Amino acid sequence: MKAKVILHRKRKKRVEQGHPWVFQSEIDEVIGDFTPGDIVDVYNHNHVFLARGFINPNSQMMVRVLTHQEDEQIDSSFFVQRIKQAWAHRQRFIPNVTSCRAIYGEADFLPGFVVDKYEDVLVVQIMALGMEVQKESLLEGLLEVFQPKAIYLRNDVYVRELEGLEQEKGFWYGESPTEIEIVENGVRYIVDIENGQKTGFFFDQRQNRAAIQPLITEDAEVLDCFTHTGSFMLNACKYGAKHVTAVDISEHAIETAKKNAALNDFSNVDFVVANAFDYLRDCVQEEKKWDVVIVDPPAFAKSKHAVKKALRGYKDINLNGLKLVREGGYFVTASCSYHVHPHMFMDMLTDAAFDAKKILRQIHWDGAGYDHPKLLGADEGDYLKFAIFEVTTRK
């Protein structure tokens, strides 16, 4: 018999709204014995079935939901079917895709399980104890659906320790080079699956990278700050920019960006290793201008407590970035900090534009792409904010 998790009477109806986590603070009692990682049933205070998932009493997210269907059994065929459904979604919304985020954890109803597909190699992160327990079923599903050449584990994330798991990385199945060439939006990239950030590449900006195409003319000069491995820079070159300046504080990132530019035969790029905050301020002092300015920084706010400081950082780079846009040019800006909510981001941009004496006309607003779907009942998935503005000067 499965253990039963009974929820408090007085709680927000988050599970009913589709949220994939049950927090310890929401649980009234657990009836029956269980081992951490076991499948349990979740009921409301009237003992009405709500969901089925796996339990870990050592985690604040004590139950992670797998299904809301009482008659759905959690076995190896369940995981195979979930993986098939996730891949079918990508194939439908990104036709002919060969590299993408193939499984996006909770949003694909496989909580704590992320898979990125780099051509015929999969990179996997398992971030929850319950999924670790199901590793063999998950491997079976990945092999059946994708038939990959190799699968590499990037379980080198701290969140595993919070689940009582060890960090690790290495090949789970097969072998391949750890530098893999992929194609996105017609641009070629070298991805380092062993030592690159996260799993090696940021697929969530796929559609946003394509969205800059109308901004780029044959005489456009583009500044790309926080270029990382050069994704926006490469797209600007592909769309015909006259010249691009790519800036990042990491020498390793810039070296990778150079390799990617060479891979695509782009030679119209200046690469700058510099702190983007300092670089932007210096360029303002030197009265430099670009037709398109792009700022796509890493997350500044890792927690609620960091939001105020993060917003100061965002305002700094956006204020100076706006000052560098030629009259009537375009400003491209993003934030991947979940704790900086969209209204906070827009308020910060409004303040930055006021101080920069600029009028902004919004051209485009978006979040993560089709391979990063979002559950409506889980705000945690709404992390990426991306905007394009036309910039004119205010007297």
Side-chain angles (χ1 to χ4, degrees):
M1 294 289 292
K2 296 185 186 72
K4 295 183 178 182
V5 175
I6 312 300
L7 304 186
H8 286 297
R9 177 190 298 270
K10 294 181 179 180
R11 61 177 176 87
K12 292 182 179 179
K13 301 297 189 289
R14 298 182 326 105
V15 176
E16 293 90 332
Q17 292 169 347
H19 201 287
W21 302 333
V22 179
F23 289 93
Q24 288 196 16
S25 59
E26 298 175 291
I27 296 173
D28 184 28
E29 63 174 328
V30 180
I31 301 173
D33 297 328
F34 65 89
T35 300
D38 278 357
I39 303 297
V40 298
D41 288 342
V42 179
Y43 296 82
N44 71 9
H45 62 282
N46 287 322
H47 290 249
V48 174
F49 177 87
L50 297 178
R52 179 169 292 137
F54 50 79
I55 189 168
N56 184 358
N58 298 315
S59 172
Q60 286 298 312
M61 294 167 282
M62 192 163 166
V63 179
R64 298 187 190 233
V65 174
L66 289 165
T67 180
H68 293 267
Q69 306 302 317
E70 190 169 10
D71 59 353
E72 190 163 30
Q73 298 304 309
I74 311 301
D75 52 21
S76 59
S77 63
F78 169 89
F79 291 103
V80 172
Q81 186 61 26
R82 279 282 196 266
I83 292 168
K84 285 181 178 178
Q85 290 168 344
W87 183 229
H89 169 84
R90 276 76 184 169
Q91 291 177 304
R92 180 171 188 165
F93 287 96
I94 320 174
N96 304 312
V97 67
T98 56
S99 295
C100 66
R101 173 142 294 180
I103 299 173
Y104 186 35
E106 282 77 353
D108 281 307
F109 310 105
L110 289 168
F113 185 61
V114 170
V115 179
D116 280 344
K117 182 178 185 295
Y118 299 107
E119 301 300 316
D120 58 356
V121 175
L122 303 180
V123 178
V124 172
Q125 279 189 341
I126 300 173
M127 294 169 284
L129 174 61
M131 284 301 184
E132 186 78 16
V133 171
Q134 301 291 340
K135 277 181 79 170
E136 291 309 309
S137 294
L138 293 169
L139 179 59
E140 177 187 336
L142 293 175
L143 294 177
E144 179 177 333
V145 174
F146 297 104
Q147 296 160 14
K149 175 182 177 181
I151 304 176
Y152 192 84
L153 287 175
R154 280 298 299 267
N155 289 337
D156 53 338
V157 286
Y158 175 66
V159 69
R160 280 177 61 87
E161 296 184 18
L162 301 178
E163 290 281 312
L165 301 169
E166 292 183 357
Q167 294 192 41
E168 60 176 350
K169 66 177 181 178
F171 282 102
W172 186 16
Y173 168 85
E175 287 188 0
S176 78
T178 55
E179 287 194 346
I180 300 170
E181 182 179 321
I182 68 168
V183 178
E184 181 200 82
N185 298 341
V187 175
R188 298 162 68 192
Y189 298 86
I190 294 293
V191 177
D192 181 351
I193 64 171
E194 181 179 16
N195 297 310
Q197 290 190 28
K198 304 291 185 179
T199 68
F201 190 74
F202 296 104
F203 283 120
D204 53 1
Q205 293 272 35
R206 174 195 304 270
Q207 289 157 232
N208 298 329
R209 289 189 271 264
I212 71 169
Q213 181 173 3
L215 317 183
I216 309 300
T217 60
E218 62 182 11
D219 59 349
E221 295 179 318
V222 179
L223 172 62
D224 178 20
C225 283
F226 305 96
T227 192
H228 189 228
T229 56
S231 57
F232 278 102
M233 169 270 291
L234 293 166
N235 278 266
C237 290
K238 175 181 180 288
Y239 296 135
K242 177 183 177 182
H243 188 270
V244 183
T245 303
V247 182
D248 201 279
I249 196 170
S250 165
E251 289 188 21
H252 181 264
I254 288 291
E255 285 305 311
T256 305
K258 288 179 179 178
K259 290 178 184 177
N260 286 332
L263 187 65
N264 290 275
D265 296 322
F266 297 144
S267 58
N268 54 332
V269 185
D270 284 339
F271 295 95
V272 180
V273 177
N275 181 314
F277 287 86
D278 297 334
Y279 183 84
L280 288 166
R281 289 191 204 103
D282 291 345
C283 289
V284 170
Q285 290 294 318
E286 295 167 19
E287 298 185 347
K288 291 184 177 180
K289 296 289 182 182
W290 283 268
D291 300 290
V292 179
V293 173
I294 302 168
V295 292
D296 179 27
F300 288 167
K302 300 291 188 182
S303 68
K304 285 184 180 179
H305 304 296
V307 167
K308 187 177 287 187
K309 182 178 179 181
L311 285 170
R312 288 197 297 269
Y314 283 123
K315 183 178 178 182
D316 191 333
I317 60 172
N318 282 273
L319 170 63
N320 287 309
L322 285 168
K323 291 179 179 180
L324 298 175
V325 181
R326 287 195 177 106
E327 186 69 11
Y330 295 93
F331 184 62
V332 180
T333 183
S335 164
C336 59
S337 297
Y338 157 67
H339 295 285
V340 175
H341 301 309
H343 73 275
M344 299 177 186
F345 189 64
M346 293 300 277
D347 287 347
M348 175 278 299
L349 286 169
T350 301
D351 290 344
F354 179 84
D355 290 354
K357 297 184 178 180
K358 302 293 182 182
I359 300 295
L360 303 187
R361 184 164 68 145
Q362 184 174 308
I363 305 299
H364 180 83
W365 172 270
D366 210 343
Y370 287 127
D371 52 353
H372 288 67
K374 175 187 174 296
L375 293 177
L376 184 60
D379 288 341
E380 290 83 355
D382 193 15
Y383 69 99
L384 182 61
K385 294 139 307 264
F386 178 86
I388 299 174
F389 297 96
E390 181 188 67
V391 182
T392 52
T393 301
R394 172 174 57 84
K395 295 292 186 182

